[in-house]
């Protein structure tokens, strides 16, 4: 079984679909109650309904830029048929959101090819409190379950708790952890982890990094240094820079994405804590705005609740 074949298989299970539906419950409840209020007393989609819809999308954390695109598309469709009723609004909205995501994003992660990289190096970035360490642990579990040898690198050396948490996840999942004393040079930990992965024949190395969003220059320098030492062992590493964002922070997640994408070459996103928030619309805005694939979404507390993001499944679930 290939590296991510396991994910494809798991994503298709009824349990995974049920977890996704349950994880989006709060977002759905807030979203559709707002839409219902937006069309009350109306039979056709007129300018007032479109204005109300714009407000609904913005307050659902879809983001202003993406909201304007969606509303404009619906307005164009309504203009072609003057008698489109408000009962058609959900269908139009669903179609336009799916269309927008299909146009503005890469293939879903189920089409991701592992390629010939071994070890495949993932550097994980994100601020403290977004669920970064939990995401690393759950990802390690999924990869190990698919038959891969995984090693974790505890390169967030500025917080003792971060190193301890990675070690706990390593024990829980049953994967090796490379760590040094608190306050050690993060680049040194990353270097040791990559060297260890090569000598041990590991398939995947996941490197945690400091969760501080300090000034952009400092962040850029630190992450750049870590990347440079990795490349001394494996040219081209890291193959993936995964930014973890907390969906429950809504527009703040978009701001964090802006900061980190300016500081380093983020090429994958994970949105956590979708089950605890009504702000799931932020996934749509981030997917559209940054053109970086959302690869993982966290839809629950269980170790298997880190799912692959599939645009169609996500929107289908949102509109159930």
């Amino acid at each position: 079984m290939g590296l991510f074949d396991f994910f494809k298989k798991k994503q298709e299970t009824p349990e995974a679909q049920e977890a996704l539906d349950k994880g989006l419950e709060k977002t759905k409840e807030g979203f559709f109650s707002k839409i219902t209020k937006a069309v009350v007393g109306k039979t056709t989609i007129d300018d007032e309904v479109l204005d109300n819809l714009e407000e609904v999308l913005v307050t659902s954390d879809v983001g202003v830029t993406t909201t304007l695109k969606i509303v404009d598309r619906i307005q164009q469709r309504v203009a072609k048929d003057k008698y489109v009723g408000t009962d058609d609004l959900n269908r139009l909205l669903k179609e336009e959101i799916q269309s927008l995501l299909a146009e503005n994003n890469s293939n879903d992660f189920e089409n991701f090819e592992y390629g010939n990289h071994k070890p495949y190096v993932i550097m994980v970035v994100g601020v403290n409190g977004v669920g970064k360490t939990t995401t690393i642990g759950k990802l390690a579990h999924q990869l190990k379950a698919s038959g891969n040898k995984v090693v974790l690198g505890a390169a967030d050396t500025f917080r003792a708790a971060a190193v301890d948490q990675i070690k706990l996840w390593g024990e829980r999942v049953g994967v090796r952890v490379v760590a040094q004393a608190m306050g050690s040079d993060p680049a040194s930990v990353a270097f040791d982890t990559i060297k260890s992965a090569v000598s041990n024949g590991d398939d995947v190395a996941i490197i945690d990094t400091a969760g501080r969003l300090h000034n952009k220059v400092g962040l850029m320098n630190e992450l750049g240094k870590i990347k440079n030492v990795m490349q001394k062992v494996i040219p081209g590493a890291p193959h993936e820079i995964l930014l973890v964002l907390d969906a429950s922070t809504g527009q703040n997640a978009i701001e964090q994405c802006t900061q980190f994408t300016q500081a380093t070459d983020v090429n994958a996103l994970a949105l956590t804590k979708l089950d605890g928030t009504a702000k799931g619309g932020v996934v749509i805005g981030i997917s559209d705005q940054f053109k970086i694939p959302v690869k993982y979404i966290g839809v629950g507390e269980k170790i298997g609740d880190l799912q692959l993001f599939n645009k169609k499944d996500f929107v289908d679930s949102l509109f159930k």
Side-chain angles (χ1 to χ4, degrees), residues 54-96:
E54 186 176 308
E55 186 179 339
V56 167
L57 291 169
V58 170
T59 57
S60 297
D61 288 278
V62 171
V64 174
T65 306
T66 304
T67 290
L68 292 175
K69 286 184 193 175
I70 294 168
V71 172
D72 183 57
R73 285 164 177 244
I74 290 175
Q75 191 168 24
Q76 287 177 37
R77 288 182 66 174
V78 170
K80 291 177 188 172
D81 184 352
K82 301 293 183 187
Y83 302 101
V84 176
T86 52
D87 54 344
D88 294 314
L89 186 59
N90 283 355
R91 177 182 57 81
L92 291 177
L93 191 55
K94 177 181 176 181
E95 288 172 3
E96 291 309 326

Side-chain angles (χ1 to χ4, degrees), residues 67-132:
T67 290
L68 292 175
K69 286 184 193 175
I70 294 168
V71 172
D72 183 57
R73 285 164 177 244
I74 290 175
Q75 191 168 24
Q76 287 177 37
R77 288 182 66 174
V78 170
K80 291 177 188 172
D81 184 352
K82 301 293 183 187
Y83 302 101
V84 176
T86 52
D87 54 344
D88 294 314
L89 186 59
N90 283 355
R91 177 182 57 81
L92 291 177
L93 191 55
K94 177 181 176 181
E95 288 172 3
E96 291 309 326
I97 289 172
Q98 284 187 328
S99 172
L100 188 69
L101 293 184
E103 289 167 21
N104 287 310
N105 215 333
S106 63
N107 291 333
D108 285 318
F109 193 27
E110 60 191 359
N111 299 318
F112 174 75
E113 294 296 330
Y114 177 50
N116 299 316
H117 301 300
K118 183 177 174 176
Y120 184 78
V121 181
I122 303 171
M123 182 168 82
V124 184
V125 300
V127 301
N128 294 330
V130 296
K132 189 159 55 80

Side-chain angles (χ1 to χ4, degrees), residues 222-250:
E222 187 173 297
L223 296 178
K225 185 180 175 186
I226 293 172
K227 283 172 64 177
N228 289 340
V229 300
M230 287 182 186
Q231 289 170 4
K232 289 178 181 176
V233 185
I234 303 173
H239 307 106
E240 187 172 303
I241 299 180
L242 177 67
L243 172 60
V244 181
L245 299 165
D246 177 352
S248 72
T249 63

Side-chain angles (χ1 to χ4, degrees), residues 19-34:
L20 177 63
D21 292 344
K22 194 168 186 303
L24 292 178
E25 269 177 7
K26 289 187 179 178
T27 294
K28 283 188 275 196
E29 286 166 10
F31 193 57
F32 290 112
S33 67
K34 288 176 184 175

Side-chain angles (χ1 to χ4, degrees), residues 241-292:
I241 299 180
L242 177 67
L243 172 60
V244 181
L245 299 165
D246 177 352
S248 72
T249 63
Q251 293 306 293
N252 194 31
I254 291 180
E255 177 57 30
Q256 287 175 24
C257 196
T258 300
Q259 295 292 323
F260 275 97
T261 51
Q262 289 173 353
T264 192
D265 301 319
V266 174
N267 59 4
L269 300 173
L271 271 292
T272 66
K273 308 184 187 181
L274 277 167
D275 55 308
T277 183
K279 298 179 185 241
V282 74
V283 176
I284 298 165
I286 283 177
S287 298
D288 171 54
Q289 197 169 323
F290 292 95
K291 311 297 188 287
I292 298 170

